[in-house]
Amino acid sequence: VTTHSTLSHAWSSAPTFYFSSVVLGVPVGFPTNSNDTLIIIQPQSEFLEWAKGYVPFKDGKIFVSWRISGDILFYRVEVPKNVKYEFKPIGRLSKYKFIPEN
């Protein structure tokens, strides 16, 4: 008898989904549909002071980093060629003035 198993189950992959789609704010599909040419990046967090990471995308990787310093939310976003983005924090992060960081 051959048994098949997996090391990745739905409940163990949820943190990656929520980190990508909520903390970094990159829409990764379900439950929202992604637009291939315009990405609306909407990070949110009620307690983190910074986050950064890469999210796989059909044409490459999307990089997002953000950090709070005083009353400013500094952010950096890198997207594949031919993809545009808008940065629109939500929740607590929307209350900060946000400025791109080089």
Side-chain angles (χ1 to χ4, degrees), residues 2-16:
T2 303
T3 59
H4 298 279
S5 64
T6 177
L7 298 176
S8 176
H9 301 285
W11 56 86
S12 62
S13 61
T16 301

Side-chain angles (χ1 to χ4, degrees), residues 10-56:
W11 56 86
S12 62
S13 61
T16 301
F17 172 80
Y18 285 105
F19 179 74
S20 299
S21 63
V22 177
V23 176
L24 294 179
V26 179
V28 291
F30 180 82
T32 58
N33 293 324
S34 297
N35 180 331
D36 290 343
T37 59
L38 176 64
I39 304 291
I40 308 297
I41 298 175
Q42 296 181 292
Q44 61 179 314
S45 176
E46 293 305 313
F47 58 88
L48 296 175
E49 297 296 314
W50 66 274
K52 70 178 175 178
Y54 287 93
V55 179

Side-chain angles (χ1 to χ4, degrees), residues 70-102:
D71 62 348
I72 299 173
L73 174 68
F74 292 98
Y75 72 94
R76 188 170 132 222
V77 175
E78 297 173 11
V79 295
K81 289 182 181 181
N82 302 322
V83 175
K84 295 187 184 333
Y85 74 89
E86 292 179 19
F87 187 80
K88 296 181 176 182
I90 57 179
R92 174 183 71 115
L93 299 182
S94 69
K95 297 174 184 164
Y96 292 91
K97 177 179 179 181
F98 45 96
I99 299 175
E101 187 170 55
N102 293 334

